[in-house]
């Protein structure tokens, strides 16, 4: 397989995937549900093979890092690649959960009748062929395949090759189970070439692939944004903000900030910038910063106003706060780092977010209803929360099921991209012989007024 040039290999895969798009789009929802259940069962049946393949991937990582002086780095790399029996059971449970979700394909979202008795409706249909380029592990990769299948889309998955042996065994098991359940061959297509060029070649096939989804860090998103010749359906880029207003409940504000940042520091909706009204800063920040620094080991990068507070009676012994640099603002850290800006008022907070936006997620903590409503209206973000953590910007938390990513773009869909957002809509017209009639051409001003009324 690797003797074939990457470009030809990817083009052949994409053509086969394209051939599967039409038959998959018309498959009954029951068949897709049964296929996903069969895929979950097959993973557990192949548990020993998958774990053995994963052991080989772990050995490969260990060999590559042999001689690495930083033992913590080695341990983290090995832990990242390792799969356990519990992990596989969780993945299988996730497949069953997706199988149980309502099928969006064929849903009539709107219907109306015209004066000539013509009936017009809008119906959900699959997008077509979606490429998913994934830097995460098998759990995320399998979830991507399952969401595409449930929404009637063919998925071309380019998984990360730290899991090369694992992906090969898992991919074979999933394809076999799907095809035995009447899913067309090619509907689940997995790229089995490790070269970086394989991902780039996928991005150059707009005639065969309708959209691409990057599931990974800023580096992957940057490459996809710069190289893709087709629409990017979603990516998780953008800064997440928490603004604590002057009229905020202090314990509530502390808890929301800590949860937004520390609950999962590498998540895309983890808070990156904390904006605090200066009127509440001396009362809020000493206790809050102590929790972030001491309890959660979060690095705090402060603005000049924040730095001026350190060492004062109100804010003692916080020399460990680091002065913020210009490029800290608008940064999506995806790590245990938060930038802290003390602002004059709500206007300055809104101006700051607008300057460095659009935002991924933005939260306001306040007891002022007017301030909260203004914040929700004026902030440009995929989701805005009032008195709630930024970490709640998630399809499952919204009651929408599993998502394939969070879109901060304004095209097609915004926010969590779940099953509905993996479809588009087409118009269906039911008639009884209606024909389009020529529009009368007005010859006088009075005629034009009459036609406009009618």
């Amino acid at each position: 397989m690797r003797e074939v040039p990457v470009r030809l290999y990817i083009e052949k895969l994409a053509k086969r995937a394209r051939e599967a798009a039409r038959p998959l789009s018309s498959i009954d929802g029951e068949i897709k549900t049964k296929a996903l259940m069969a895929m979950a069962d097959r993973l557990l049946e192949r548990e020993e093979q998958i774990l053995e393949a994963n052991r080989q991937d772990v050995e490969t990582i260990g060999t590559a890092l042999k001689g690495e002086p930083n033992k913590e780095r080695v341990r983290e790399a090995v832990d990242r690649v390792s799969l356990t029996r519990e992990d596989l059971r969780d993945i299988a449970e996730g497949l069953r959960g997706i199988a149980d979700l309502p099928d969006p394909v064929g849903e009539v979202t709107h219907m109306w009748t015209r004066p000539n008795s013509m009936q017009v409706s809008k119906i959900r249909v699959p997008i077509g062929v979606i490429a998913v380029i994934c830097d995460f592990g098998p759990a995320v990769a399998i979830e991507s395949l399952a969401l595409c299948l449930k929404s009637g889309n063919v998925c071309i998955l380019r998984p990360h090759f730290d899991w090369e042996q694992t992906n090969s065994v898992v991919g074979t098991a999933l394809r076999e189970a799907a095809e035995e359940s009447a899913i067309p061959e090619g509907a689940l297509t997995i790229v089995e070439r490790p070269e970086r060029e394989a991902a780039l070649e996928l991005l150059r096939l707009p005639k065969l692939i309708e959209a691409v989804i990057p599931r990974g860090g800023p580096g992957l998103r940057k490459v996809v944004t710069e190289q893709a010749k087709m629409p990017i359906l979603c990516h998780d880029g953008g800064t997440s903000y928490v603004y604590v207003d002057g009229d905020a409940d202090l314990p509530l504000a502390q808890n929301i900030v800590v949860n937004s940042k520390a609950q999962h520091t590498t998540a895309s909706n983890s808070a990156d910038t904390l904006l605090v009204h200066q009127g509440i800063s001396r009362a809020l920040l000493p206790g809050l910063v102590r929790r972030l620094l001491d309890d959660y080991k979060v690095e705090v990068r402060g603005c000049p106003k924040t730095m001026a507070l350190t060492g004062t009676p109100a804010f003692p012994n916080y020399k460990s706060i680091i002065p913020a640099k210009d490029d800290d603002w608008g940064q999506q850290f995806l790590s245990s780092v938060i930038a802290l800006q003390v602002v004059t008022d709500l206007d300055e907070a809104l101006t700051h977010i607008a300057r460095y936006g659009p935002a991924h997620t933005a939260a306001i903590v306040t007891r002022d209803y007017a301030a909260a409503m203004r914040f929700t209206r004026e902030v440009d973000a995929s989701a805005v929360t009032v008195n709630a953590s930024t970490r709640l910007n998630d399809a499952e938390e919204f009651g929408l099921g599993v998502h394939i990513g969070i879109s901060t773009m304004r095209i097609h869909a915004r926010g969590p991209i779940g099953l509905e957002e993996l479809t588009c809509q087409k118009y269906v017209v039911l008639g009884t012989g209606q024909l389009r009639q020529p529009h009368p051409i007005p010859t006088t001003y009075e005629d034009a007024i009459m036609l406009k009324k009618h």
Side-chain angles (χ1 to χ4, degrees):
M1 181 182 69
R2 294 190 183 180
E3 290 74 23
V4 178
V6 173
R7 182 181 62 81
L8 295 179
Y9 168 79
I10 293 296
E11 189 173 330
K12 182 179 179 181
L13 280 188
K15 285 179 177 177
R16 189 182 66 169
R18 164 58 59 193
E19 290 170 1
R22 188 167 65 87
L24 181 64
S25 69
S26 59
I27 276 183
D28 185 77
E30 280 294 313
I31 294 176
K32 292 184 287 186
T33 297
K34 288 177 182 176
L36 287 164
M37 291 293 191
M39 289 158 62
D41 292 342
R42 190 64 56 90
L43 281 182
L44 297 182
E45 289 169 13
R46 301 277 174 89
E47 185 177 276
E48 296 303 328
Q49 287 177 259
I50 294 169
L51 292 175
E52 173 58 27
N54 184 249
R55 187 188 63 77
Q56 295 174 30
D57 288 327
V58 170
E59 282 186 1
T60 300
I61 291 292
T63 302
L65 293 174
K66 193 174 182 180
E68 166 63 48
N70 188 337
K71 300 305 179 187
E72 182 64 20
R73 180 169 177 257
V74 175
R75 186 187 65 78
E76 287 177 358
V78 168
D79 286 348
R80 185 176 68 88
V81 175
S82 298
L83 279 180
T84 66
R85 294 183 192 278
E86 290 71 26
D87 292 333
L88 278 178
R89 285 161 193 163
D90 287 344
I91 292 170
E93 229 14 73
L95 282 171
R96 294 189 182 106
I98 293 171
D100 287 337
L101 292 172
D103 188 348
V105 177
E107 178 192 354
V108 178
T109 61
H110 195 39
M111 180 183 292
W112 63 99
T113 303
R114 299 290 295 139
N116 63 357
S117 299
M118 182 175 74
Q119 190 180 80
V120 184
S121 57
K122 292 176 74 172
I123 297 178
R124 291 197 183 281
V125 295
I127 290 171
V129 180
I130 298 176
V132 177
I133 301 175
C134 183
D135 272 355
F136 299 128
V140 174
I142 293 167
E143 177 186 82
S144 302
L145 285 168
L147 285 168
C148 286
L149 175 58
K150 183 71 177 186
S151 55
N153 294 293
V154 171
C155 181
I156 305 178
L157 172 69
R158 200 280 189 177
H160 195 282
F161 275 83
D162 278 350
W163 293 270
E164 183 172 4
Q165 301 302 322
T166 309
N167 289 332
S168 179
V169 176
V170 166
T172 299
L174 295 178
R175 279 195 303 264
E176 288 177 358
E179 289 170 15
E180 288 169 14
S181 303
I183 299 298
E185 182 181 352
L188 275 65
T189 296
I190 300 175
V191 177
E192 296 182 355
R193 295 285 289 262
E195 298 94 329
R196 180 175 180 271
E197 288 72 23
L200 295 176
E201 289 297 337
L202 279 176
L203 302 177
R204 296 167 183 157
L205 297 172
K207 292 184 178 179
L208 298 174
I209 299 171
E210 268 76 27
V212 61
I213 298 174
R215 300 203 72 177
L220 173 63
R221 294 199 299 266
K222 184 173 186 292
V223 169
V224 171
T225 301
E226 291 174 352
Q227 299 291 329
K229 304 295 185 186
M230 68 285 291
I232 301 167
L233 187 56
C234 74
H235 66 71
D236 292 337
T239 308
S240 291
Y241 297 87
V242 178
Y243 167 59
V244 181
D245 193 31
D247 185 19
D249 177 277
L250 292 182
L252 179 69
Q254 269 207 31
N255 289 336
I256 286 174
V257 172
V258 168
N259 185 264
S260 293
K261 178 69 251 181
Q263 196 266 340
H264 187 2
T265 57
T266 60
S268 62
N269 55 11
S270 167
D272 302 296
T273 297
L274 171 60
L275 304 172
V276 177
H277 192 292
Q278 65 180 7
I280 206 172
S281 59
R282 289 178 181 271
L284 173 71
L285 290 178
L288 173 58
V289 170
R290 184 184 301 113
R291 288 180 69 185
L292 290 172
L293 290 171
D294 297 344
D295 297 347
Y296 298 98
K297 311 305 178 190
V298 171
E299 180 180 302
V300 179
R301 301 179 183 177
C303 69
K305 288 182 182 179
T306 304
M307 301 310 296
L309 288 172
T310 60
T312 66
F315 205 172
N317 304 322
Y318 283 103
K319 299 298 183 184
S320 52
I321 296 179
I322 298 170
K325 299 177 181 177
D326 288 344
D327 59 4
D328 288 328
W329 311 116
Q331 182 76 260
Q332 186 184 41
F333 291 112
L334 301 174
S335 65
S336 298
V337 178
I338 193 167
L340 170 55
Q341 171 90 48
V342 176
V343 295
T344 307
D345 52 22
L346 174 59
D347 283 316
E348 188 179 346
L350 291 169
T351 299
H352 180 102
I353 296 171
R355 178 181 178 186
Y356 296 105
H360 184 291
T361 310
I364 181 173
V365 186
T366 186
R367 288 178 291 201
D368 184 333
Y369 178 81
M373 292 303 98
R374 184 180 171 204
F375 191 85
T376 62
R377 285 194 307 271
E378 295 188 24
V379 167
D380 185 10
S382 75
V384 181
T385 68
V386 177
N387 296 326
S389 170
T390 61
R391 290 281 295 122
L392 295 170
N393 183 8
D394 178 273
E396 231 172 331
E397 296 293 339
F398 289 173
L400 304 174
V402 186
H403 67 241
I404 203 165
I406 295 176
S407 176
T408 55
M409 300 177 291
R410 299 180 182 87
I411 305 302
H412 178 64
R414 206 171 190 197
I417 302 297
L419 288 176
E420 284 190 3
E421 290 74 27
L422 287 172
T423 64
C424 55
Q425 297 188 63
K426 71 178 178 183
Y427 289 92
V428 173
V429 177
L430 301 179
T432 54
Q434 290 88 343
L435 303 175
R436 180 159 184 168
Q437 302 300 324
H439 292 293
I441 300 173
T443 56
T444 66
Y445 176 76
E446 288 77 12
D447 288 344
I449 295 299
M450 289 298 294
L451 286 171
K452 189 173 182 181
K453 287 181 179 178
H454 290 288

